[in-house]
Amino acid sequence: MSEEHRIGILTISDTRSQGVRVDTATVVIRCLVEEAGFVVEQTALVPDEQAAIQEHLIDMADRLKVPLILTTGGTGFGARDVTPEATKAVIEREVPGLPEALRAATSKGNPLAWLSRGIAGLRGRTLIVNLPGSPQAVEECLGVLLPLLPHALEMIEGRPHGTDAPVVAGS
């Protein structure tokens, strides 16, 4: 499996991290990304606390150097829904088209998708994408996102689409 197929999954939920509710969103993400050829390098489950979210995002991006981190949860309007703020604090560049595409596609079946505040962005050579917390919404979002990821990850690595060759300056 090539390097670009490694992934980190960060689940953000007070109730799931406390064992009050079962974490099914991570299971859905793992199943779908593994079917798409990704290798899950690490998963983590943290409460809705901005510092903890930022710490895990930085660790996965900087220490593990996974090319992709998917978060689930904490993207709503609740006072403790701080995943987008934590993500904004650690990314260097936003990638607004991805969350726009996720909301546009999934809102056709569920107009509440427009209420998701999820964002996406780059930290170094790691793409971070916020997904909703509901397993059904996660599945719908991954249906949109997964086909886009090969090209996105190739661009991050500086490779022309569909090749393993690095981009040569001046070509």
Side-chain angles (χ1 to χ4, degrees):
M1 184 69 51
S2 63
E3 192 70 11
E4 74 268 12
H5 286 93
R6 295 172 41 249
I7 181 175
I9 302 170
L10 180 61
T11 303
I12 298 102
S13 171
D14 284 335
T15 56
R16 292 174 184 147
S17 67
Q18 297 166 358
V20 175
R21 289 180 58 200
V22 175
D23 174 23
T24 54
T26 303
V27 174
V28 170
I29 294 172
R30 179 185 283 273
C31 179
L32 292 173
V33 298
E34 287 178 346
E35 284 177 9
F38 288 87
V39 173
V40 177
E41 181 83 12
Q42 184 179 64
T43 64
L45 175 59
V46 297
D48 292 276
E49 294 173 6
Q50 188 166 339
I53 298 166
Q54 289 175 210
E55 179 182 321
H56 279 81
L57 290 174
I58 291 168
D59 182 64
M60 287 181 182
D62 296 358
R63 184 182 63 80
L64 293 179
K65 299 196 182 306
V66 294
L68 176 64
I69 300 170
L70 297 177
T71 71
T72 178
T75 62
F77 287 9
R80 291 190 51 81
D81 289 332
V82 295
T83 302
E85 289 76 16
T87 303
K88 279 185 184 181
V90 304
I91 62 173
E92 297 151 354
R93 296 184 292 159
E94 284 196 55
V95 181
L98 291 178
E100 289 168 10
L102 300 181
R103 283 187 280 271
T106 60
S107 69
K108 293 173 185 166
N110 181 1
L112 297 178
W114 289 112
L115 300 178
S116 172
R117 298 183 316 108
I119 68 163
L122 296 166
R123 179 178 178 88
R125 290 188 168 207
T126 299
L127 174 62
I128 302 171
V129 181
N130 299 156
L131 301 175
S134 137
Q136 180 179 344
V138 163
E139 186 171 351
E140 291 170 0
C141 285
L142 286 176
V144 175
L145 183 63
L146 286 172
L148 303 173
L149 290 176
H151 184 63
L153 296 174
E154 287 172 355
M155 287 192 311
I156 292 167
E157 288 297 315
R159 288 186 281 122
H161 181 59
T163 73
D164 290 326
V167 172
V168 177
S171 61

